[in-house]
Amino acid sequence: QVGGALLKGLNSIAGTLTAVTRSAANYASSLASSIDETAKLAARTGIAVEALQGFQVAADLSGVQNLESAIQRLTITIGDAGAGVKEPQRAFERLGLNFEELAALRPEDQFRQVADAFQGVGTQAEKAAIAADLFGRSGVELLPLFNSNLGEIEARARRLGIVLGREQTAAIERMNDALS
């Protein structure tokens, strides 16, 4: 009986260790996939992967789901303003930004400047109107992100080690590609 109980206990421990190992492997795989997706998003948007990770942390904390489309929409809107479309030109002016100067910046700096400029807008209604002009109907969903301190959140994410470097993300992207 002692031997049977001991065997049962060892089997239980082995089962628990197997479950823990499987859970850790699933978490690592999920994390690697997430980092791989971020690296690919960085390539699509032209935003440095480190900056994008900080933006994603800020978006997650703000409950914003459509960060990728917002970044892409901002790029298009800056181009529209440069092509003479009045609505985005006025929206940038209301934020106190010059769209021609924005166009010369890296995409991550464009996004940061727009986010920072929302801090100076008076009412929530004004913010909503400008966000809709710049980002379309879904622009209003970005207001919690723009009401946060994007720079502070990015800095905190870097300090906590949440933001991985380009070499690290590239290695994980290569690993996922090889596994695929």
Side-chain angles (χ1 to χ4, degrees):
Q1 285 193 3
V2 172
L6 184 58
L7 185 59
K8 196 180 230 182
L10 288 175
N11 282 337
S12 176
I13 290 170
T16 301
L17 289 175
T18 300
V20 167
T21 301
R22 189 176 305 121
S23 179
N26 287 341
Y27 174 74
S29 175
S30 172
L31 186 59
S33 292
S34 175
I35 292 166
D36 183 56
E37 288 173 27
T38 299
K40 287 177 174 39
L41 175 58
R44 284 192 305 272
T45 60
I47 292 181
V49 71
E50 296 89 347
L52 187 56
Q53 290 173 78
F55 293 172
Q56 287 177 319
V57 169
D60 288 344
L61 290 172
S62 302
V64 170
Q65 302 294 316
N66 60 347
L67 182 63
E68 178 179 3
S69 62
I71 290 168
Q72 291 171 341
R73 179 68 184 181
L74 179 61
T75 302
I76 292 166
T77 302
I78 291 170
D80 287 346
V85 179
K86 298 295 181 200
E87 186 175 286
Q89 288 178 352
R90 283 191 296 271
F92 286 123
E93 287 171 13
R94 289 167 58 197
L95 284 175
L97 298 173
N98 180 313
F99 64 87
E100 292 165 333
E101 292 174 6
L102 276 176
L105 299 175
R106 296 178 309 178
E108 59 264 32
D109 293 330
Q110 293 171 342
F111 193 78
R112 284 184 188 113
Q113 283 210 5
V114 168
D116 289 346
F118 270 92
Q119 299 290 320
V121 175
T123 68
Q124 195 69 6
E126 290 172 304
K127 288 180 182 183
I130 295 169
D133 286 346
L134 293 178
F135 297 97
R137 289 183 306 210
S138 63
V140 177
E141 296 172 21
L142 297 169
L143 291 180
L145 174 62
F146 294 151
N147 287 331
S148 69
N149 186 331
L150 182 60
E152 182 180 304
I153 294 171
E154 283 185 272
R156 189 173 353 141
R158 281 191 300 276
R159 279 194 314 273
L160 292 172
I162 296 171
V163 174
L164 300 178
R166 178 68 197 136
E167 289 179 19
Q168 294 166 310
T169 56
I172 291 169
E173 192 175 15
R174 287 191 303 274
M175 177 192 74
N176 276 348
D177 291 347
L179 290 173
S180 294

